[in-house]
Amino acid sequence: MNSKIIIKLMLQLVFVAFCSLPVLAQNGNLTGTITDESGISVPGANVVISELKKGAISDFDGNFSLVDIPAGSYTVNISYLGYSDVDKQVTIEENKTVSVSIFITPKTMELDGVEVLGYGLGSQSRALNTQKNNMNITNVVSTDQIGKFPDANIGDAVKRIPGITMQVDQGEARNIIVRGLSPQLNSVTLNGSRIPSAEGDNRNVQMDLIPSDMIQTIEVNKAVTPDMDADAMGGSVNLITRTAPRGFRVSATAGSGINFITDKPIWNGSVLIGDRTENGKFGWMVSATMNDNDFGSHNIEAEWTDEFEYNSGVQDEEGEDILEEVDVNPYPNVFENRTYLVQRVRRSFAANLDYRFNADHNIYLKSMYNWRDDRENRFRLEHEILDGEDIGVDDFTITNGYPSRFPVEVKRQSKGGINSSRNQNRRLEDQRMQNYSLGGIHLFGKLKFNWMGSYAKASEERLDERYAEFESEYSINNGTDAEFPIFSPVNAEDTAPANFEYSDISNENQYTEEEDLNFFANFELPADFFGNGEGSVKFGARGRFKSKIRNNDYFEFDFEDEFSTMNMVPVRDITDSNFLAGSQYQAGLFASEDWLGNLNLSPSLGEDKPEEYASGNFDVQEDVLAAYIMFNQNLSEKLSLLAGMRIENTSLSSKGKRVNFIEEDEEAGIDEGIEIEDVEANNSYTNILPGVHLKYDATDNTVLRFAWTNTLARPNYVDLIPREEFVNEDDEIYLGNPDLEPTTSMNFDLMAEHYFSNVGILSGGVFYKNINDFIYTYQFETTSNEFGAGTEGYEVYQPLNGDNASIFGAEVSLQRQLDFLPGFLKNMSVYLNYTYLTSSADGIRNEDGDERDDLDLPNTSPNMFNGSIGYADKKFSARLSANFSDAYIDEIGGNAFEDRYYDQQFFLDFNASYAITGNLRVYADLNNITNQPLRYYQGVSGRTMQAEYYSLRGTLGIKYDLFKK
């Protein structure tokens, strides 16, 4: 159906909704705010006027509104899981809006004749009440609940939620995978506004950039509604910042710890202060956090092949060496030993303001600024087997089909930065994310209207990133342990610095920036189509205007005369007898980072190398216009329906580079060179996305849910750029694809939830996703000169749309206070969830062009588990937490042998706290007790491609929190 026809139909439905509204001129409205005993907002409360069959759910700021109420006196009932019900008498006047403030208090429980209060359940209550009363399938975690786990950033906190696993960077959770779908297939918002990405080649949002202390609530929408952005195939993660309290509040945290891998300290601190004027109109809250973490990692990496060739020493008729191939078992032809020294300094600032003009009109301003400095030195020892033409008959040994000795090129590379107060001789990655949102909530008679405009920007700048490399050649013995591969020199004397010759020194600058302008407007009117009580029709529009640029450069410097060998420069011994991958890995000597940082690497002294960066630079503009309409109706006393449709139109323009590397040919008189030309492309598409949600309240505490939704995922920017990169030296071509279609998914969800009166939940459900046009990188070898003269036999890499894929999953969750146990055991609690996934993918072709039928959809971990057991009484609390995710395919290779897998991971963490007073607590955290490495393997689980270890991290601190109503 034509998109214009759909839009006209939506407008007609809006008109019908207006016309079908009953005319009740003598009615009024009721608005209010619900807070708890500490003056903190209460989201997810159920507000009901029973005699009118009218109800509402409080939002994340504790606000609610009921419209179109006949004049008169009524009893308003407020119910909230874990809290005592409250009845409030109100009098509604004609053509006026009445405003009320309501306070609720925790419910007490009687156990063995003794009245007790659940400790630390307020946050859990907020999360579960919101989840229970939402129309769609969600998981909600509140700030105090986050604090029960030792998670410094929001990525580590999100991984505790059912169906979610995280990919880590330097031991911290960075990229989110929801229900088995890649990070770029999910959306992350801040207060409903999209968070831009500073990643250069994808849409991933760096979850480790945002401290968990800055977030009030995490809401994961696993089945989106029509008023939400549709580009959330796995789910939409909404991070909600702290809002102004109803009374004075001040909170502060200070702590320190140690990283056991470097024995260097951790420093962290946060402060929050907020208040509201006596008349309740103006509220404000400002907060700031800082975390300084000096740590590192120990890393080994390998590439595997099943091919081996050598120079027979015989020439053919044309005088060319004849290379002989040998059948061999898989072996590593590249091996690296890496040591990382990292300092990450996070600062985050937020200021949130709101002003209430009257009961009908509120405005708010929410802002956040995140700034992370990531300083890094890396020392890499790299070995790569020589080309077959350089391997003689006597240069290698093959033992039982396994190459056990052969010659390699060895490189010792030091990575650092300029000697300045900011870089400190380290590579400095300066990442920033800022978001400013101005919005309003209004009542015009029966019409609810809310709007928001926002500006967001994410950037990553890496200035004066430096590399110094020295190289040599010698023979190595190849170890036989595939899980812990190792290359050892045949002669130890070969590793002497004097044997390593100057290779290159480089200085590069990188800058990536993404800016988002967002605006939305939502309108909601009461509409009871079935005569079963409160219902509504909601409609609105949204515009999102995104621009993204990447601008890099790269210069090489010739210092061969000054530093012809590595013994002519200051060196540093990186060997560590406690290397976490094993003491057998001896890194040896490297050029000092201090020496590298003090070199004069002015661009005027170097040679510009556009072949290193030109193809990666781009400029993309993406505009998304959306409109929706949806109906929320009670079909009966227990059954509710939310149905609607969303239309999104995407327009994209992109500019990139066509880069052709010209290989030297002396006989033809061709010099080595590079040709660069600008290329650009445009694309647009429209998606029509209907959805239906059903909610059945079987009992007051048991809910059944069903959802049918349609979602999409837009291609990564780097895939859309019309770039062409010809690497003639390696016979390779890299292509973009501006004609990529968005990936779409039709989703089905069925979920059952039972909520315990003592604040807990038992839930279980299944889901199915039918995915079309997923994107993968196709590899093939050219059979003609279709890409230009001399390109026959080149290896081509290009992103393409696959055919279909599917995901089936099941998840179960239990969250419960064990108050049925005797004595002190009643203060125990458990938190458990498990997710199972199975997937398939069609239309993926191998390097020979044949379709593969042996693949799961990338990033679908078949088994995910979270578990924790905790204890909390009036003074002391402790929790042991576990997180497990199974291995999954991460990157599709040219064939099954080349496929890369992300290995299973199991994290174990512990935290405890003790209340010295009602406002002052001491706490202790231990992270990564299992020393879980980041590990990839190639083809089979025993064949390590990368193993990176981070060791244990411990912190100790104090927290002060003062509430005043």
Side-chain angles (χ1 to χ4, degrees):
M1 187 179 293
N2 188 285
S3 60
K4 292 183 179 179
I5 297 175
I6 294 292
I7 293 173
K8 288 180 180 179
L9 178 60
M10 292 175 65
L11 292 174
Q12 290 171 1
L13 289 172
V14 172
F15 178 75
V16 170
F18 269 110
C19 294
S20 64
L21 296 173
V23 180
L24 297 172
Q26 306 304 314
N27 294 347
N29 301 325
L30 173 67
T31 65
T33 302
I34 305 174
T35 56
D36 66 7
E37 72 282 6
S38 298
I40 297 178
S41 301
V42 172
N46 196 16
V47 183
V48 175
I49 301 177
S50 299
E51 57 262 50
L52 298 179
K53 293 185 178 179
K54 280 187 174 292
I57 305 299
S58 61
D59 64 18
F60 282 106
D61 295 327
N63 299 318
F64 69 90
S65 60
L66 292 167
V67 300
D68 200 22
I69 306 172
S73 296
Y74 301 96
T75 299
V76 180
N77 177 261
I78 295 89
S79 58
Y80 202 66
L81 193 68
Y83 283 70
S84 300
D85 287 359
V86 173
D87 288 329
K88 180 80 171 180
Q89 299 298 317
V90 297
T91 299
I92 304 298
E93 300 181 32
E94 297 175 359
N95 302 317
K96 290 186 178 181
T97 299
V98 176
S99 181
V100 295
S101 295
I102 299 171
F103 299 93
I104 61 174
T105 56
K107 184 186 299 182
T108 57
M109 298 171 291
E110 189 170 295
L111 299 173
D112 298 329
V114 179
E115 194 177 69
V116 298
L117 184 69
Y119 300 108
L121 296 182
S123 62
Q124 194 169 330
S125 242
R126 287 181 177 81
L128 293 183
N129 276 280
T130 303
Q131 183 173 319
K132 175 175 179 284
N133 290 316
N134 280 345
M135 265 301 296
N136 62 323
I137 296 171
T138 59
N139 291 109
V140 182
V141 179
S142 67
T143 178
D144 294 334
Q145 202 170 356
I146 295 169
K148 293 180 180 179
F149 301 97
D151 301 325
N153 70 68
I154 208 66
D156 283 313
V158 168
K159 75 183 181 185
R160 314 286 180 184
I161 295 174
I164 289 181
T165 186
M166 301 294 296
Q167 295 176 333
V168 301
D169 176 74
Q170 289 296 338
E172 297 184 326
R174 167 165 287 192
N175 297 321
I176 183 171
I177 297 173
V178 182
R179 287 181 161 180
L181 289 173
S182 302
Q184 66 268 22
L185 304 182
N186 307 299
S187 70
V188 183
T189 60
L190 185 69
N191 301 312
S193 175
R194 288 298 290 267
I195 297 178
S197 169
E199 296 282 349
D201 56 358
N202 56 55
R203 296 175 182 265
N204 301 354
V205 173
Q206 303 95 326
M207 301 293 283
D208 58 345
L209 184 60
I210 304 172
S212 57
D213 284 346
M214 303 299 286
I215 301 302
Q216 176 174 290
T217 305
I218 305 170
E219 182 182 42
V220 179
N221 293 282
K222 295 179 176 176
V224 298
T225 53
D227 57 343
M228 299 178 184
D229 286 336
D231 51 346
M233 282 179 52
S236 172
V237 180
N238 188 25
L239 308 177
I240 300 163
T241 56
R242 299 174 183 269
T243 54
R246 298 300 152 184
F248 180 73
R249 181 184 181 185
V250 62
S251 176
T253 302
S256 184
I258 189 169
N259 285 291
F260 288 87
I261 192 170
T262 58
D263 292 332
K264 290 190 174 181
I266 303 167
W267 302 101
N268 62 71
S270 66
V271 62
L272 176 152
I273 185 169
D275 200 359
R276 186 168 295 276
T277 57
E278 289 188 9
N279 62 10
K281 287 183 174 291
F282 177 67
W284 58 274
M285 175 174 281
V286 294
S287 58
T289 70
M290 188 280 295
N291 177 268
D292 186 343
N293 192 3
D294 207 330
F295 61 112
S297 62
H298 295 162
N299 175 296
I300 57 172
E301 298 189 18
E303 296 178 20
W304 295 78
T305 183
D306 55 3
E307 298 177 353
F308 187 92
E309 62 181 11
Y310 66 95
N311 192 329
S312 66
V314 180
Q315 284 77 39
D316 59 18
E317 295 178 355
E318 298 179 356
E320 298 289 337
D321 291 332
I322 296 175
L323 302 183
E324 296 285 348
E325 294 184 358
V326 182
D327 290 332
V328 295
N329 298 321
Y331 71 100
N333 61 335
V334 177
F335 174 73
E336 298 181 6
N337 178 336
R338 301 183 178 198
T339 297
Y340 290 86
L341 301 175
V342 181
Q343 181 193 28
R344 282 185 177 168
V345 182
R346 290 187 187 87
R347 312 100 163 161
S348 188
F349 312 93
N352 294 330
L353 314 173
D354 65 78
Y355 186 78
R356 184 183 182 96
F357 292 98
N358 53 45
D360 291 329
H361 301 287
N362 302 309
I363 61 170
Y364 59 85
L365 174 66
K366 296 186 176 183
S367 63
M368 177 178 282
Y369 190 97
N370 295 293
W371 178 15
R372 183 182 71 188
D373 284 340
D374 186 293
R375 297 183 177 92
E376 177 183 289
N377 289 122
R378 185 192 70 193
F379 302 93
R380 184 183 73 184
L381 173 61
E382 177 187 355
H383 314 73
E384 182 173 6
I385 191 171
L386 298 184
D387 292 336
E389 60 189 17
D390 298 320
I391 301 176
V393 175
D394 299 324
D395 292 340
F396 65 92
T397 302
I398 295 179
T399 306
N400 297 324
Y402 185 79
S404 56
R405 180 183 67 88
F406 47 79
V408 293
E409 181 181 44
V410 186
K411 298 178 180 179
R412 293 186 176 273
Q413 185 189 79
S414 301
K415 175 182 180 180
I418 194 171
N419 182 13
S420 67
S421 59
R422 290 277 292 133
N423 290 65
Q424 301 172 18
N425 295 320
R426 293 181 169 188
R427 184 275 285 144
L428 173 62
E429 181 181 86
D430 181 333
Q431 282 193 338
R432 307 191 188 200
M433 190 280 288
Q434 50 193 304
N435 184 289
Y436 309 95
S437 300
L438 177 66
I441 303 170
H442 309 276
L443 266 179
F444 298 99
K446 304 171 189 176
L447 177 67
K448 296 180 183 179
F449 168 56
N450 69 82
W451 59 274
M452 185 178 74
S454 69
Y455 169 78
K457 177 182 175 180
S459 63
E460 179 180 289
E461 185 174 49
R462 294 161 67 154
L463 299 179
D464 294 303
E465 182 173 335
R466 298 182 167 190
Y467 295 85
E469 188 170 271
F470 293 82
E471 61 185 9
S472 181
E473 290 183 8
Y474 52 74
S475 292
I476 56 90
N477 292 316
N478 181 17
T480 58
D481 187 343
E483 185 176 359
F484 292 95
I486 187 171
F487 287 0
S488 303
V490 173
N491 297 310
E493 295 81 5
D494 291 336
T495 64
N499 294 326
F500 281 80
E501 299 177 346
Y502 178 88
S503 174
D504 63 72
I505 290 175
S506 63
N507 190 92
E508 61 183 283
N509 299 289
Q510 302 179 25
Y511 184 73
T512 303
E513 175 187 284
E514 181 173 312
E515 289 185 298
D516 276 16
L517 285 173
N518 287 269
F519 180 81
F520 69 71
N522 298 313
F523 304 86
E524 186 175 2
L525 288 161
D528 185 5
F529 296 148
F530 301 97
N532 289 307
E534 187 74 11
S536 67
V537 57
K538 186 177 180 183
F539 52 94
R542 182 168 202 146
R544 189 169 81 236
F545 310 97
K546 181 190 299 289
S547 63
K548 185 153 192 168
I549 63 169
R550 182 162 65 181
N551 187 18
N552 300 342
D553 66 32
Y554 185 97
F555 288 84
E556 274 190 4
F557 299 82
D558 186 2
F559 287 96
E560 187 171 6
D561 292 340
E562 294 92 331
F563 313 113
S564 58
T565 55
M566 198 170 73
N567 64 323
M568 300 179 69
V569 306
V571 295
R572 176 179 179 180
D573 191 354
I574 302 300
T575 300
D576 186 345
S577 60
N578 295 315
F579 195 79
L580 295 176
S583 59
Q584 69 271 29
Y585 298 104
Q586 303 294 308
L589 300 172
F590 291 82
S592 161
E593 70 273 24
D594 295 338
W595 164 78
L596 178 60
N598 283 292
L599 290 175
N600 181 9
L601 301 185
S602 171
S604 61
L605 302 177
E607 180 183 0
D608 186 15
K609 290 288 186 178
E611 62 267 31
E612 297 288 343
Y613 64 85
S615 64
N617 289 345
F618 60 81
D619 187 343
V620 175
Q621 179 72 40
E622 182 181 81
D623 297 336
V624 179
L625 297 175
Y628 75 91
I629 184 171
M630 69 184 196
F631 302 88
N632 194 345
Q633 296 290 308
N634 293 331
L635 301 181
S636 70
E637 186 178 347
K638 294 180 176 293
L639 181 63
S640 302
L641 165 72
L642 188 154
M645 180 182 298
R646 185 179 184 89
I647 297 177
E648 291 197 353
N649 174 263
T650 305
S651 298
L652 183 103
S653 63
S654 57
K655 298 178 182 179
K657 303 288 184 182
R658 185 184 189 274
V659 182
N660 184 19
F661 300 97
I662 302 171
E663 190 175 7
E664 183 181 17
D665 189 336
E666 293 182 358
E667 293 182 2
I670 299 174
D671 295 328
E672 183 181 71
I674 180 173
E675 294 177 344
I676 302 175
E677 63 178 287
D678 294 329
V679 289
E680 58 183 84
N682 297 289
N683 193 9
S684 65
Y685 48 86
T686 299
N687 297 95
I688 300 170
L689 306 152
V692 173
H693 300 257
L694 290 169
K695 178 185 176 187
Y696 181 74
D697 295 313
T699 69
D700 288 345
N701 288 327
T702 302
V703 180
L704 304 178
R705 303 179 189 270
F706 168 80
W708 168 62
T709 57
N710 289 271
T711 51
L712 63 91
R714 297 179 176 88
N716 285 327
Y717 304 108
V718 72
D719 294 336
L720 287 166
I721 302 164
R723 71 185 185 112
E724 298 178 13
E725 182 179 0
F726 294 78
V727 188
N728 293 304
E729 183 179 0
D730 298 326
D731 294 345
E732 293 176 342
I733 300 174
Y734 296 88
L735 303 175
N737 188 352
D739 296 323
L740 282 173
E741 296 289 334
T743 303
T744 59
S745 177
M746 181 181 291
N747 317 295
F748 298 89
D749 292 82
L750 183 64
M751 182 70 67
E753 303 164 349
H754 178 73
Y755 294 84
F756 300 112
S757 58
N758 64 345
V759 188
I761 183 176
L762 173 64
S763 66
V766 295
F767 55 90
Y768 175 78
K769 296 180 180 292
N770 184 24
I771 300 169
N772 293 305
D773 295 322
F774 66 90
I775 297 169
Y776 73 103
T777 300
Y778 178 44
Q779 303 177 28
F780 67 96
E781 185 176 313
T782 59
T783 56
S784 64
N785 290 324
E786 58 185 295
F787 290 99
T791 60
E792 180 179 351
Y794 276 39
E795 197 75 20
V796 180
Y797 301 85
Q798 184 178 35
L800 293 179
N801 287 111
D803 294 338
N804 302 316
S806 64
I807 295 177
F808 172 79
E811 56 189 32
V812 62
S813 177
L814 172 65
Q815 200 173 328
R816 160 131 207 176
Q817 187 84 7
L818 303 182
D819 49 32
F820 53 86
L821 295 177
F824 73 92
L825 295 176
K826 66 177 176 287
N827 295 321
M828 303 286 289
S829 63
V830 293
Y831 179 89
L832 306 168
N833 61 69
Y834 168 75
T835 302
Y836 166 79
L837 289 177
T838 181
S839 67
S840 64
D842 301 322
I844 298 177
R845 288 164 176 79
N846 63 18
E847 57 192 358
D848 298 321
D850 300 324
E851 185 170 344
R852 295 182 60 180
D853 58 4
D854 58 343
L855 285 172
D856 292 333
L857 191 68
N859 294 311
T860 50
S861 174
N863 297 285
M864 291 170 279
F865 170 78
N866 279 294
S868 74
I869 184 164
Y871 175 89
D873 60 25
K874 288 183 177 180
K875 292 284 188 180
F876 177 73
S877 67
R879 184 172 296 269
L880 183 67
S881 310
N883 175 268
F884 170 82
S885 60
D886 215 340
Y888 55 85
I889 187 168
D890 174 72
E891 187 175 285
I892 298 171
N895 52 53
F897 175 75
E898 297 175 357
D899 292 340
R900 186 177 77 170
Y901 289 80
Y902 194 105
D903 200 8
Q904 67 181 37
Q905 49 189 10
F906 177 73
F907 294 97
L908 193 64
D909 306 310
F910 175 78
N911 64 313
S913 68
Y914 181 79
I916 299 173
T917 69
N919 305 112
L920 184 65
R921 302 183 74 89
V922 293
Y923 68 89
D925 299 336
L926 281 176
N927 292 84
N928 197 23
I929 296 171
T930 54
N931 188 27
Q932 174 64 51
L934 164 68
R935 184 174 183 269
Y936 291 91
Y937 61 84
Q938 183 176 320
V940 297
S941 61
R943 199 177 292 148
T944 295
M945 289 189 74
Q946 179 181 357
E948 186 169 273
Y949 294 81
Y950 311 107
S951 191
L952 184 68
R953 184 172 70 247
T955 56
L956 180 70
I958 60 173
K959 182 174 183 179
Y960 177 79
D961 210 344
L962 173 66
F963 296 93
K964 182 180 179 182
K965 285 189 183 180

